[in-house]
Amino acid sequence: MNYLDEFKKFISSHHLSTGIRLSLGAVVPSLIFQHYGILGDLIAFPLGTLLIGSTDNPGPYHRRRNALIIAIITCFSVACITGLLRHIHFMVFAEIIIFGMFFSLAGVYGNRINSIGLISLLVFVFNIDDHLSGEMVLRTASIFALGGIWYFFLFMVLEKLLPYKLIQQLLGENFIELGKLLFIKARYYFAKPDYDDLFGRLVHEQVLLRENHENLREILFKTREFVTESTNTSRTLMLMFLDSIDLFERILNSQQNYENLHKAFDHSQVLRLFGTYITWLAAEIQQIGIAVQSGFPSRPKHDLDEAFNKCQSVFERMRAEQMTHDNIEDYMMLRQILNSLQDITERVKKLHLATTYDVSLSADYKPNVSVENFIPKQEYHPRILLDNLSLKSSHFRHAVRVTLALLIGYTASLFFDLGHGYWILLTIVTIMKPAFSITKQRNLYRIGGTMLGVVSGFLILYFIKDGTALFGLMMIAMILAYTFLKTNYFIASTSITLYVILSLNFLNPHHITDVLQDRALDTLIGSIIAYLVSSYVLPVWEHSQINQYISEALVANRQYFDIVAARFTGKVLDINELKIHRKNAIIALANLSDNFEKMLSEPKRQQHNMEEYHQFVATSHMLTSYIASLSTYAQTIGYEQFSFEFELMIRQIDRQFTAVLDVLDGKISGNLEIAREALPQNQKLLALLATRKKEIKELGVEKSAQSPARKMLSDLRTINGLFELISTITIDEIKILQKIRTTKV
């Protein structure tokens, strides 16, 4: 996108609205308190607003509401307990063990509860010395809770005034990320594509889309207005979301053998033309995303009909002039790309219209999905917590690491005069995550961001003396901090450091030099402790979990394949069940990709069989893509007269899936006969293809184009080719896993 579009995307995003909501929610009361000269006594109020507000993750209204209430009660209790016992050092150590373990283990109940646990630990850290409340513990805890209640009031009011705003923002971001995905796919059509780089970018983008889809599903399918009490707006938003899932599948199933494509057509301009048109489609999808976020109708940036017709006319001219009976299959591949582009074009045009919220577009729409099967499941039974009280649990190991790091950090603050010693614990709590790769990244961002924030704060205070200007810069830093807190931790860390320094300068300007030194030193100490504990205390390396993700991806892909393939044996296709298996396959694929990405950030000594795992992740992406392509045909055609031939192929592929899982589980070692068996040939298709080639050779391309067998042959050749590709991929996965097992042995 151009810079104007990037600016529009940022302005209308839910991240910025969150940053503004939190910042104004904290600053407006602070200005009122400052006016009456009581801000110093009520500083816990804006702190409560910021911390409680930070637990407000996207989701259904009732879950957000309940989470805020639980956060207020929990944080008030922690503040009271910590404040009353903070002068008894052995009790503080006990609190660190109890709170550190319990609130870190809360992550077993999902991100929302994990956020409450994190904020509760931060409240514990803020109250661990008397800088905040002095001797008025209960009074300060109550003021803190009132700050949280103030945010809760803002939340309730905004939800009533703008009930659809969050879903519009998330849905808009979904389309923007889809556009980015299509931009990446377009690069495959230009000269000399970097396949490894493009694959890495595709993997990352699909992980982001998976997270976005989970948030959207939870909101849409758990919110009554979208399911039972539908309005035109809610129906349109639901329609656009489901269309976006179908569009994602269409983009996913447009996977081609790009190396063969370039060998066949690099001498012409057709691939470059297709690539350019795909970038136009990507820009249109992102334009739709910006429109959905902002709530205004989108306007097409290009004439898609004219552009597509140009692509089609170039293809038809090339086919008429250059296609022979020898290269007919290359042109079939090109035809399928053109068909895919036509489908995406029609979907984009439909989505442009949907942004107008025209009643006629959604009047007759009814979701044909089983809602319960699409809602992310999260149980809150106590047994889940008890089941994780084991060193086999990655959550338990993380809780032990956090607790030990806090104990070390607190001990260091007792034995050394560090001024703001609680900042050490603050750094530890915010940096440490269950995955080493994320902890490492946040560690670097925290150190770099803090140092940059300290230097920036020093320069700003040195050169700028005007209070209004300093206040304006503090507000900007504050908004940026909470805007980028969950998307770019480096910017967030820099901004948090800057606004903390500027705010402390307003409260106590005579000690700002000490604050600058303490902030830098305490952050560095906390970062070192967090890194060492994460590296050497019960670490959970990603390679120890990858087999589980591989197994889940294989099972999900097999189930997806079986329901799609059954259509070609004459069985009726259940669209609802198809969508469920498609969702499961995409989620499993994204989880596997995310696991592999984290492996890349771990120490080299923990990166085992990286080349083979990279190959497996790549083949898994291709496998899901080919099954998705097959599902497109399963939903429109059947060709039951070929069911016997297809059934033989399906049985063979199912045996290959079984073999892959057996190798993964260690049930089979050595070479497998199944990996040598060729897929049964479709004799009827071969006869049809021979007839078509004969027609072209005898009648020429133009006259033979009228043959009724042409369309059938094109479809069947593609379907048969997809079965062959799926078989080839599963055999490749058998060989990859065999190689991994051999290396481990």
Side-chain angles (χ1 to χ4, degrees):
M1 288 195 297
N2 58 37
Y3 291 113
L4 180 60
D5 285 343
E6 287 286 354
F7 179 72
K8 289 179 181 177
K9 170 194 167 187
F10 177 72
I11 290 298
S12 58
S13 69
H14 92 276
H15 297 294
L16 180 61
S17 64
T18 298
I20 293 173
R21 183 172 66 252
L22 281 172
S23 300
L24 292 181
V27 170
V28 170
S30 298
L31 291 176
I32 296 173
F33 298 153
Q34 180 65 20
H35 175 75
Y36 290 102
I38 56 175
L39 178 59
D41 295 329
L42 299 178
I43 195 65
F45 188 97
L47 183 62
T49 302
L50 291 172
L51 290 181
I52 297 299
S54 298
T55 66
D56 185 20
N57 295 324
Y61 164 78
H62 69 282
R63 287 192 174 177
R64 294 171 66 193
R65 178 199 62 200
N66 295 344
L68 288 172
I69 294 172
I70 293 170
I72 292 169
I73 295 172
T74 304
C75 290
F76 174 77
S77 303
V78 170
C80 291
I81 295 171
T82 307
L84 293 172
L85 299 177
R86 65 182 168 222
H87 296 300
I88 309 173
H89 291 311
F90 80 88
M91 290 301 297
V92 175
F93 280 104
E95 287 174 339
I96 290 176
I97 295 172
I98 295 171
F99 289 158
M101 290 296 297
F102 178 75
F103 290 125
S104 298
L105 267 173
V108 301
Y109 293 114
N111 289 333
R112 199 175 304 280
I113 302 299
N114 185 59
S115 295
I116 296 174
L118 173 63
I119 296 305
S120 300
L121 280 177
L122 291 179
V123 170
F124 166 71
V125 169
F126 278 118
N127 286 274
I128 210 166
D129 62 26
D130 57 6
H131 73 282
L132 186 64
S133 61
E135 298 303 319
M136 297 180 291
V137 175
L138 294 178
R139 177 178 179 274
T140 304
S142 299
I143 293 171
F144 177 91
L146 286 174
I149 293 170
W150 160 242
Y151 179 85
F152 181 80
F153 172 76
L154 286 178
F155 159 75
M156 297 289 286
V157 170
L158 290 174
E159 280 298 301
K160 294 298 181 183
L161 294 176
L162 302 169
Y164 299 113
K165 192 59 181 176
L166 178 61
I167 185 64
Q168 287 175 320
Q169 290 171 332
L170 291 177
L171 186 58
E173 289 178 14
N174 180 47
F175 283 116
I176 289 169
E177 295 301 331
L178 274 175
K180 290 180 181 178
L181 183 69
L182 196 55
F183 266 123
I184 297 169
K185 297 286 281 190
R187 300 308 306 170
Y188 281 102
Y189 290 85
F190 293 103
K192 299 179 180 179
D194 186 339
Y195 294 111
D196 288 339
D197 176 66
L198 291 174
F199 174 73
R201 291 164 61 188
L202 280 174
V203 167
H204 178 70
E205 206 58 52
Q206 289 184 30
V207 171
L208 294 179
L209 281 165
R210 185 280 311 267
E211 295 172 355
N212 187 279
H213 288 166
E214 289 297 285
N215 286 331
L216 284 167
R217 283 193 188 96
E218 185 182 35
I219 298 174
L220 286 168
F221 296 133
K222 289 292 285 186
T223 303
R224 185 173 55 190
E225 287 78 6
F226 288 96
V227 180
T228 58
E229 300 179 2
S230 297
T231 64
N232 176 55
T233 302
S234 65
R235 284 197 305 270
T236 303
L237 291 172
M238 177 72 86
L239 176 66
M240 285 195 285
F241 170 65
L242 295 176
D243 282 348
S244 77
I245 298 294
D246 290 337
L247 182 59
F248 175 53
E249 183 189 41
R250 193 59 170 164
I251 294 172
L252 190 67
N253 70 29
S254 61
Q255 183 76 22
Q256 300 289 337
N257 188 326
Y258 295 104
E259 292 184 5
N260 289 348
L261 202 61
H262 280 281
K263 287 178 183 178
F265 297 107
D266 260 352
H267 64 279
S268 68
Q269 294 297 314
V270 67
L271 294 185
R272 184 175 179 179
L273 179 64
F274 281 12
T276 301
Y277 181 59
I278 294 171
T279 61
W280 285 19
L281 288 172
E284 294 294 332
I285 295 172
Q286 293 200 324
Q287 189 73 10
I288 290 168
I290 294 172
V292 173
Q293 277 188 338
S294 61
F296 295 104
S298 62
R299 296 180 179 178
K301 303 177 70 172
H302 307 94
D303 187 336
L304 296 182
D305 288 330
E306 181 182 349
F308 176 77
N309 290 336
K310 183 178 180 181
C311 291
Q312 188 172 33
S313 61
V314 169
F315 164 75
E316 289 176 350
R317 185 171 63 251
M318 283 182 57
R319 186 187 63 179
E321 295 174 356
Q322 302 177 25
M323 189 176 80
T324 67
H325 66 282
D326 293 322
N327 63 10
I328 182 175
E329 296 186 32
D330 293 333
Y331 280 88
M332 286 182 181
M333 182 166 50
L334 213 57
R335 165 62 76 181
Q336 297 308 317
I337 296 172
L338 198 63
N339 291 341
S340 179
L341 293 181
Q342 184 176 24
D343 182 75
I344 293 174
T345 300
E346 294 303 317
R347 293 179 187 275
V348 169
K349 288 159 62 178
K350 178 182 175 183
L351 287 166
H352 270 305
L353 290 175
T355 61
T356 64
Y357 294 93
D358 190 327
V359 176
S360 62
L361 295 174
S362 63
D364 299 325
Y365 173 72
K366 293 182 180 179
N368 61 343
V369 295
S370 177
V371 171
E372 290 300 320
N373 291 319
F374 287 89
I375 300 172
K377 301 295 190 298
Q378 180 60 66
E379 295 183 31
Y380 297 99
H381 197 281
R383 65 175 171 74
I384 298 175
L385 189 67
L386 296 175
D387 289 343
N388 277 273
L389 296 178
S390 166
L391 287 177
K392 295 180 179 180
S393 167
S394 60
H395 291 285
F396 182 80
R397 286 170 171 253
H398 169 63
V400 171
R401 289 195 297 272
V402 170
T403 303
L404 181 60
L406 288 174
L407 289 171
I408 295 171
Y410 181 66
T411 303
S413 69
L414 292 178
F415 282 93
F416 301 98
D417 184 15
L418 298 171
H420 295 73
Y422 68 93
W423 276 347
I424 296 175
L425 306 186
L426 192 67
T427 299
I428 291 170
V429 170
T430 54
I431 282 179
M432 295 190 71
K433 299 296 177 184
F436 173 84
S437 58
I438 299 177
T439 301
K440 174 185 173 182
Q441 184 187 63
R442 288 175 73 91
N443 212 329
L444 294 174
Y445 286 170
R446 178 80 177 190
I447 294 174
T450 298
M451 298 309 166
L452 181 58
V454 166
V455 172
S456 301
F458 172 79
L459 294 174
I460 288 171
L461 293 174
Y462 184 81
F463 288 105
I464 300 176
K465 305 300 180 182
D466 181 72
T468 304
L470 289 174
F471 178 78
L473 289 172
M474 185 193 75
M475 281 299 302
I476 293 172
M478 197 173 188
I479 291 172
L480 289 176
Y482 292 102
T483 297
F484 289 100
L485 187 60
K486 296 180 181 179
T487 58
N488 191 317
Y489 193 65
F490 177 75
I491 295 177
S493 183
T494 303
S495 302
I496 289 173
T497 301
L498 184 56
Y499 95 69
V500 166
I501 289 171
L502 293 178
S503 61
L504 289 176
N505 179 66
F506 281 113
L507 293 172
N508 195 353
H510 302 295
H511 295 88
I512 196 63
T513 302
D514 294 335
V515 169
L516 291 170
Q517 294 174 348
D518 290 346
R519 181 74 179 183
L521 180 60
D522 293 343
T523 297
L524 184 61
I525 292 173
S527 295
I528 292 172
I529 293 171
Y531 178 79
L532 292 175
V533 173
S534 296
S535 300
Y536 298 105
V537 178
L538 300 176
V540 178
W541 305 113
E542 297 300 325
H543 69 78
S544 66
Q545 305 177 77
I546 195 167
N547 278 2
Q548 175 187 345
Y549 291 111
I550 288 175
S551 178
E552 290 172 358
L554 284 170
V555 170
N557 269 326
R558 180 175 187 170
Q559 291 173 344
Y560 188 23
F561 169 77
D562 282 341
I563 190 170
V564 170
R567 175 70 184 94
F568 298 100
T569 65
K571 295 181 180 178
V572 177
L573 181 65
D574 185 330
I575 298 298
N576 189 62
E577 192 175 355
L578 170 68
K579 290 182 177 181
I580 293 170
H581 288 304
R582 177 183 67 185
K583 179 204 73 169
N584 293 340
I586 291 173
I587 290 175
L589 179 62
N591 289 337
L592 174 61
S593 302
D594 190 33
N595 175 265
F596 179 75
E597 275 196 303
K598 290 175 182 176
M599 284 177 66
L600 295 173
S601 301
E602 292 183 337
K604 293 293 183 182
R605 66 180 185 277
Q606 299 298 334
Q607 295 182 4
H608 306 307
N609 303 106
M610 291 301 290
E611 182 179 348
E612 288 76 19
Y613 283 127
H614 179 270
Q615 291 174 359
F616 193 91
V617 173
T619 57
S620 295
H621 274 264
M622 288 188 286
L623 182 58
T624 305
S625 176
Y626 292 144
I627 298 172
S629 297
L630 196 62
S631 75
T632 302
Y633 289 93
Q635 295 175 61
T636 55
I637 56 179
Y639 293 127
E640 283 80 1
Q641 62 269 42
F642 290 83
S643 60
F644 178 75
E645 285 75 11
F646 284 132
E647 189 168 352
L648 293 177
M649 302 169 79
I650 293 166
R651 288 176 184 173
Q652 170 84 352
I653 293 171
D654 271 330
R655 289 199 299 272
Q656 291 169 187
F657 269 115
T658 301
V660 180
L661 288 165
D662 285 345
V663 173
L664 181 67
D665 295 337
K667 296 178 182 178
I668 298 178
S669 59
N671 294 323
L672 297 170
E673 291 300 324
I674 191 72
R676 296 197 189 98
E677 294 180 15
L679 197 67
Q681 289 191 325
N682 192 326
Q683 297 298 329
K684 287 186 179 180
L685 176 60
L686 291 177
L688 197 62
L689 182 61
T691 301
R692 177 68 180 139
K693 287 183 177 181
K694 184 178 179 181
E695 287 177 351
I696 293 174
K697 191 171 183 179
E698 294 177 352
L699 303 176
V701 175
E702 289 298 327
K703 291 182 179 181
S704 66
Q706 306 304 318
S707 170
R710 185 178 70 85
K711 175 66 168 64
M712 178 186 287
L713 176 62
S714 178
D715 291 340
L716 286 171
R717 182 64 190 90
T718 303
I719 293 168
N720 197 81
L722 288 169
F723 276 116
E724 291 174 349
L725 288 169
I726 291 169
S727 175
T728 301
I729 290 295
T730 53
I731 290 174
D732 288 343
E733 291 187 338
I734 291 172
K735 294 176 180 177
I736 293 168
L737 291 179
Q738 280 185 302
K739 187 174 181 180
I740 292 173
R741 290 194 61 81
T742 303
T743 305
K744 287 182 178 180
V745 174

